[in-house]
Amino acid sequence: MNSRIKTPVSRTIAVLALFCACFFMFTTVAVAGGTLRVATMGEPASLDPHKVSGTWENYVVGDMFIGLTTENQKSEPVPGVATSWKISDDGMKYTFMLRKSVWSDGTPFTAHDFVFSMRRILLPETAAEYASLLYIIKGAEAINTGKAKPETLAVKAIDDYTLEIQLTGPAPYFLALLTHYTAYPVPKHVIEKHGKLWSKPENMVVNGPYKLVEWIPNTHVKLTKNDKWWDSGSLSLDDLTFYTQEDRAAVQKRFRAGEIDVAMDFASDQIDWLRKNMPDETRIAPYMGVYYYPINSSVEPFTDVRVRQALSMAINRKAIVDKVLKTGELAAYSFVPPGVAYYDNPAEVTWKDMPFGERQKKAKALLAEAGFSPDKPLEFTLRYNTSENHKRIAVAVVSMWKAIGVKAELFNSEVKVHYADLKQGDFQVARAGWIADYNDAQNFLYLLETRTGPNNYGRYSNPEYDKLMLEAEVTSDLQKRSELMLKAESLAMRDQPVIPIYHYVSKNLVSTKVQGFVDNPQDIHRWRYVSLK
Amino acid sequence: MLSYALRRLGSAIPTLFIIITVAFFMMRLAPGGPFDREKQLPPEIEANILKAYNLDKPIHLQYLDYMKNILRGDFGPSYKYLDFTVNDLILTGFPVSMRLGLYAITIAIVIGVTAGTIAALKQNSLFDYLVMGVAMTGIAIPNFVMAPLLALVFGVYLSILPVAGWGGGAFKYQILPVITLALPQVAYIARLTRGSMVEIMNSNFIRTARAKGLSEKIVVVRHALRGGLLPVVSYLGPATAAVITGSVVIESIFDVPGIGRYFVNGALNRDYPVVMGVVIFYAILIIVLNLIVDLVYGFFDPRVKVE
């Protein structure tokens, strides 16, 4: 049989066929439509944006509502309902120009909706957990604490499409903060009609790209395209299904079986298997958070800075991230993670580059100066909330401390008890973590201010630190503000009221079918940018 | 019989009252509160929340309010699932748990009793050893091992069943959870049946029945089983209550929207109303099921008169 192609016509057809075959084999075409299935790793407490407080809820409500600004794929602030804005010279007055848009029931959306929403989240009876994030708005704190009427809030509708907001100080992070769910608009006309039941699927009205269809507690939340959204033509996905299962091992199996397209988080102990078997689906990226051990600097002997320094120096962070965690976390020598907006490079401890052996010697010397010796060793309890990962890290840290003659006992308790005790200051050294609410160093550094209260677990109180942070708060010059915060951070890194251990990474499983999922330091993903191929 | 049942239910009211009171105060004695967390709430916001849930009142007033509400059938709001009341959660979750539980317990009775009876009749045979060996394994393997194993084999490797999910209650989503729920029950019932049947088959009245010339089938079915099933019947009361109220392990692994997880997660979250609601619900269920067992006893054992 002669298999050679002889005629020019048949040759042309063959070439075309080959080309088509290659095209279909090697190009991947995004197909409009389809349902994206996301495992959020947590049941939403609510779908009312004023009542939520977790990342797992943010993945759902973030595509139902859009604030004045919103996030792009990299989670940077871009215009949302506001198309443009003007900022006063002192950085304390923002004037937003809004687009003409409608709610999902067709009701026109106006600046008055924002006025209503911002007053609502601040009303004490709304009992919003995250309301304090908006305290930067003039009058907010007084309303939330019941000292002022909601009408006193400095958020004003100049006309239907112009909104003015006055701040208590220049906050360069304000546009980023407005992407947060606490600043989302909620429909006044629906809330007034249905009260608390407004967020039920049959009542809920949204202003974002997807609207609620179904919510079965402890199973899933389903959203579908909102055709009335201003840019609905740009949406690729028709529907979104969020599975709320928390069991990471089970979710990983569902992902392997193709029942889930994106899993937000996986169990760290699976990393070796995942790297080997699903390298393209395993996504690890720097995440804006710090894992640290606060030291209770209000109790003896931790009032002595030398003791705190010694404990911090003796921890081999590299061994913890490389040998214990193995998921690419960054060893932390500063409180603020690298890569935070308007903050050059975080202030690190001065002994970061000292070889570990020398650091141990120095730590021993510091303890000796503070009056501890092999006959009279430093003894205390290290507390952590029950979790396999926290335990592994605590065991490693305690053995590192043992090497400098410190006797630390481990004590674990369930999460509610742990944090109740931390709040009361009932601990010596404990485990804690912090994930930023918005991309700004202030969101980390305020934790060490005296006025912060319960979130300053270790009761660190340094007037100089407080003064620098207060000064930064009223400074509108970005460079100067950053310098002030750097100075404050370097004070804290000298005093070590907290022992930073590592900076978090985000860990997600993303199917290769999913396009438009971009890793970013806040691990916020808006599904309106995503498509399936 | 009806008056007996009513009397029993009447006497359950003080029991329930004690359970509610003890549970209410024990729950509050647990350290940590519903709003303690990594990101601590500013004091003024915590005050707003406590006020919204009436948690700022003295505890005895909270208790009185709670009792008034449950008399009206209102179990209150959940602190964790803000958009649902405890009534919503129980009413949507219980039918799911009950359906799975009833399937599981039915399978357990049919397979367990049959296997146990045959094993007893063929005592010390290969079949007996096999059934008892499998039953022992069934009891020994905990469900948190069995569930992921079944999901891995049938969901991931063979891809014939979903790994997890509820799919609106479609049949294929129920298979693995029901099997996992049923397995230890099958094993337990088989062992109970075998044990008591071995004893019964050696008793005098069975010898009499055989001496009368009755066929072996009638001896076993009509005479031996009635007595042999008594331990199984007493076991079924609490077992049914346990199975139809769901299991936190199975619901978490298979993502089943039942009520099993509310008890454990509610306690961990210090979600007081959810824990209380579930405790009261379980208590009522166990009281009713125990009553049913006692009534059924009268049918199996002629010596028991339900009056």
Side-chain angles (χ1 to χ4, degrees):
Chain A
M1 198 175 87
N2 188 352
S3 63
R4 289 177 64 193
I5 300 164
K6 285 174 186 164
T7 65
V9 176
S10 55
R11 222 176 276 160
T12 313
I13 292 171
V15 169
L16 270 176
L18 192 70
F19 179 77
C20 288
C22 290
F23 181 79
F24 285 112
M25 273 172 73
F26 299 112
T27 57
T28 44
V29 187
V31 185
T35 302
L36 184 78
R37 299 155 306 170
V38 181
T40 59
M41 302 294 178
E43 176 71 19
S46 172
L47 291 179
D48 178 339
H50 292 172
K51 299 206 170 166
V52 303
S53 58
T55 50
W56 57 94
E57 290 144 346
N58 196 358
Y59 301 135
V60 183
V61 296
D63 272 310
M64 293 164 73
F65 298 92
I66 294 205
L68 287 161
T69 56
T70 185
E71 302 93 347
N72 64 10
Q73 279 169 297
K74 291 188 215 154
S75 190
E76 296 157 341
V78 291
V81 175
T83 48
S84 60
W85 45 82
K86 277 190 289 196
I87 307 172
S88 66
D89 291 341
D90 61 0
M92 287 166 58
K93 191 166 98 183
Y94 284 68
T95 312
F96 294 94
M97 273 57 81
L98 313 192
R99 67 177 79 233
K100 290 201 165 85
S101 63
V102 291
W103 290 97
S104 58
D105 62 352
T107 309
F109 185 106
T110 67
H112 301 282
D113 286 304
F114 273 113
V115 175
F116 168 78
S117 305
M118 292 195 177
R119 286 178 184 174
R120 175 180 184 258
I121 191 173
L122 290 164
L123 281 176
E125 50 268 34
T126 305
E129 290 186 19
Y130 252 56
S132 62
L133 224 55
L134 298 183
Y135 282 5
I136 187 72
I137 299 175
K138 207 168 155 189
E141 188 168 359
I143 297 166
N144 197 231
T145 49
K147 291 184 198 121
K149 293 219 161 96
E151 295 75 35
T152 57
L153 188 69
V155 175
K156 290 196 173 61
I158 306 290
D159 58 49
D160 279 357
Y161 298 100
T162 314
L163 186 78
E164 185 189 280
I165 302 181
Q166 291 229 352
L167 307 185
T168 58
Y173 55 86
F174 187 58
L175 290 173
L177 181 68
L178 287 176
T179 64
H180 194 268
Y181 46 78
T182 43
Y184 287 169
V186 290
K188 181 181 178 203
H189 61 290
V190 180
I191 294 174
E192 282 175 348
K193 189 170 166 203
H194 298 287
K196 273 186 180 172
L197 298 176
W198 83 275
S199 55
K200 295 281 179 196
E202 60 274 21
N203 304 333
M204 201 174 209
V205 166
V206 300
N207 82 324
Y210 292 90
K211 57 184 180 187
L212 181 63
V213 185
E214 182 181 58
W215 178 12
I216 299 183
N218 283 316
T219 302
H220 62 246
V221 179
K222 276 189 181 161
L223 308 186
T224 192
K225 206 190 258 189
N226 169 19
D227 292 326
K228 298 219 163 59
W229 185 53
W230 63 79
D231 198 16
S232 64
S234 73
L235 299 175
S236 170
L237 299 165
D238 289 333
D239 301 289
L240 304 172
T241 303
F242 299 96
Y243 292 103
T244 60
Q245 194 170 15
E246 286 175 36
D247 186 316
R248 279 158 178 69
V251 168
Q252 193 180 318
K253 279 195 212 81
R254 290 178 89 174
F255 183 83
R256 282 172 68 187
E259 292 172 20
I260 279 172
D261 303 310
V262 180
M264 305 305 293
D265 201 17
F266 55 80
S268 298
D269 57 5
Q270 290 296 309
I271 187 63
D272 292 336
W273 189 92
L274 286 168
R275 280 219 169 102
K276 191 164 163 237
N277 297 287
M278 302 182 124
D280 297 336
E281 287 93 340
T282 308
R283 302 275 199 105
I284 294 175
Y287 187 32
M288 221 165 272
V290 60
Y291 184 106
Y292 67 102
Y293 283 174
I295 304 176
N296 192 344
S297 38
S298 67
V299 296
E300 294 289 346
F302 305 105
T303 44
D304 189 334
V305 63
R306 291 168 299 191
V307 174
R308 303 197 299 258
Q309 285 170 339
L311 290 178
S312 182
M313 274 182 196
I315 296 175
N316 187 345
R317 292 154 176 85
K318 205 165 158 9
I320 290 175
V321 297
D322 292 346
K323 306 263 168 58
V324 181
L325 295 163
K326 299 194 281 190
T327 14
E329 283 82 357
L330 276 182
Y333 298 93
S334 60
F335 197 54
V336 180
V340 167
Y342 322 111
Y343 198 62
D344 302 336
N345 277 309
E348 295 179 320
V349 289
T350 49
W351 40 264
K352 179 194 169 192
D353 297 319
M354 200 188 277
F356 187 60
E358 263 178 59
R359 252 160 63 189
Q360 281 179 312
K361 267 188 219 155
K362 173 94 177 143
K364 271 189 197 167
L366 282 168
L367 282 179
E369 274 176 43
F372 295 100
S373 63
D375 303 326
K376 192 197 153 206
L378 170 60
E379 292 180 63
F380 61 90
T381 306
L382 169 63
R383 296 192 53 154
Y384 63 95
N385 51 310
T386 313
S387 133
E388 202 42 48
N389 248 1
H390 302 334
K391 184 172 154 189
R392 285 159 62 208
I393 293 167
V395 168
V397 167
V398 166
S399 75
M400 290 166 188
W401 282 339
K402 203 176 161 194
I404 59 159
V406 170
K407 287 187 182 166
E409 259 185 51
L410 290 178
F411 181 83
N412 70 308
S413 50
E414 50 168 319
V415 65
K416 295 281 178 192
V417 181
H418 183 77
Y419 284 106
D421 286 346
L422 256 61
K423 185 165 77 177
Q424 302 297 331
D426 184 12
F427 73 101
Q428 291 170 300
V429 182
R431 179 266 148 192
W434 186 262
I435 306 286
D437 294 311
Y438 45 89
N439 188 352
D440 195 86
Q442 184 267 352
N443 194 234
F444 288 91
L445 295 174
Y446 93 97
L447 291 178
L448 302 177
E449 287 181 52
T450 310
R451 60 174 173 167
T452 295
N455 270 322
N456 178 357
Y457 302 124
R459 278 49 178 177
Y460 177 59
S461 181
N462 180 341
E464 209 183 331
Y465 183 95
D466 294 344
K467 198 174 142 245
L468 286 165
M469 290 302 291
L470 269 178
E471 212 179 314
E473 197 175 286
V474 294
T475 305
S476 54
D477 181 78
L478 288 179
Q479 188 56 37
K480 195 151 175 262
R481 179 175 177 270
S482 156
E483 280 164 18
L484 288 165
M485 288 197 292
L486 262 173
K487 263 192 206 163
E489 189 181 17
S490 55
L491 278 182
M493 286 305 96
R494 182 199 69 195
D495 293 349
Q496 291 287 296
V498 288
I499 305 178
I501 295 181
Y502 68 82
H503 293 302
Y504 285 107
V505 286
S506 59
K507 310 185 299 269
N508 301 315
L509 295 175
V510 183
S511 161
T512 47
K513 285 192 309 188
V514 175
Q515 289 186 321
F517 183 100
V518 179
D519 293 325
N520 65 68
Q522 289 194 277
D523 202 24
I524 288 176
H525 305 276
R526 298 301 175 217
W527 311 111
R528 51 184 180 265
Y529 304 122
V530 168
S531 59
L532 289 167
K533 67 184 180 195
Chain B
M1 200 161 105
L2 186 69
S3 71
Y4 170 78
L6 288 177
R7 239 183 308 129
R8 278 279 300 269
L9 286 178
S11 69
I13 292 172
T15 316
L16 260 182
F17 174 76
I18 293 169
I19 291 174
I20 294 170
T21 309
V22 171
F24 185 90
F25 288 101
M26 277 182 68
M27 192 69 226
R28 300 306 175 93
L29 279 178
F35 307 106
D36 287 318
R37 62 197 55 189
E38 189 157 275
K39 287 195 175 173
Q40 306 268 6
L41 299 171
E44 53 273 19
I45 289 187
E46 192 170 347
N48 289 344
I49 294 174
L50 293 180
K51 187 151 184 274
Y53 289 116
N54 269 335
L55 288 169
D56 55 341
K57 288 187 184 167
I59 184 137
H60 63 276
L61 291 182
Q62 290 181 39
Y63 172 73
L64 288 178
D65 281 349
Y66 186 75
M67 290 307 253
K68 265 185 235 159
N69 287 337
I70 54 172
L71 282 178
R72 287 202 303 262
D74 175 10
F75 288 107
S78 161
Y79 303 155
K80 172 83 198 300
Y81 307 96
L82 303 177
D83 290 6
F84 297 92
T85 63
V86 177
N87 294 40
D88 288 340
L89 293 175
I90 292 180
L91 288 178
T92 52
F94 182 60
V96 172
S97 295
M98 188 171 74
R99 189 153 106 194
L100 292 184
L102 287 180
Y103 288 153
I105 208 82
T106 312
I107 292 174
I109 294 172
V110 173
I111 300 180
V113 169
T114 315
T117 309
I118 299 175
L121 297 178
K122 301 191 172 183
Q123 208 186 339
N124 300 329
S125 67
L126 184 66
F127 182 83
D128 183 19
Y129 293 138
L130 196 73
V131 169
M132 286 307 107
V134 172
M136 211 53 223
T137 323
I139 294 171
I141 297 181
N143 53 8
F144 59 82
V145 175
M146 188 55 84
L149 200 68
L150 289 174
L152 193 66
V153 173
F154 293 99
V156 179
Y157 293 149
L158 301 176
S159 298
I160 48 175
L161 288 173
V163 173
W166 187 235
F171 180 68
K172 63 177 179 176
Y173 287 94
Q174 299 181 36
I175 299 174
L176 292 182
V178 167
I179 292 177
T180 319
L181 260 180
L183 275 179
Q185 303 301 336
V186 171
Y188 213 83
I189 290 177
R191 287 192 66 85
L192 271 178
T193 312
R194 180 192 177 272
S196 100
M197 283 297 280
V198 164
E199 206 184 308
I200 296 269
M201 291 307 284
N202 291 325
S203 58
N204 289 336
F205 76 93
I206 295 294
R207 198 179 311 140
T208 313
R210 282 190 178 134
K212 283 201 308 190
L214 292 179
S215 73
E216 192 63 17
K217 198 173 138 196
I218 291 184
V219 171
V220 173
V221 176
R222 194 179 294 165
H223 297 281
L225 263 184
R226 264 177 87 169
L229 286 185
L230 281 179
V232 177
V233 172
S234 5
Y235 170 72
L236 277 181
T240 310
V243 169
I244 65 172
T245 47
S247 138
V248 62
V249 174
I250 290 170
E251 287 177 11
S252 308
I253 294 178
F254 292 118
D255 208 19
V256 174
I259 55 168
R261 61 179 110 186
Y262 292 136
F263 191 54
V264 176
N265 292 353
L268 290 176
N269 293 326
R270 302 289 187 272
D271 194 346
Y272 306 138
V274 165
V275 175
M276 289 303 297
V278 178
V279 164
I280 296 169
F281 187 73
Y282 282 7
I284 294 175
L285 210 61
I286 287 178
I287 288 170
V288 171
L289 284 167
N290 276 338
L291 174 65
I292 294 175
V293 166
D294 287 350
L295 295 177
V296 172
Y297 236 78
F299 167 75
F300 277 94
D301 189 343
R303 288 168 299 181
V304 176
K305 287 271 176 288
V306 180
E307 276 170 1

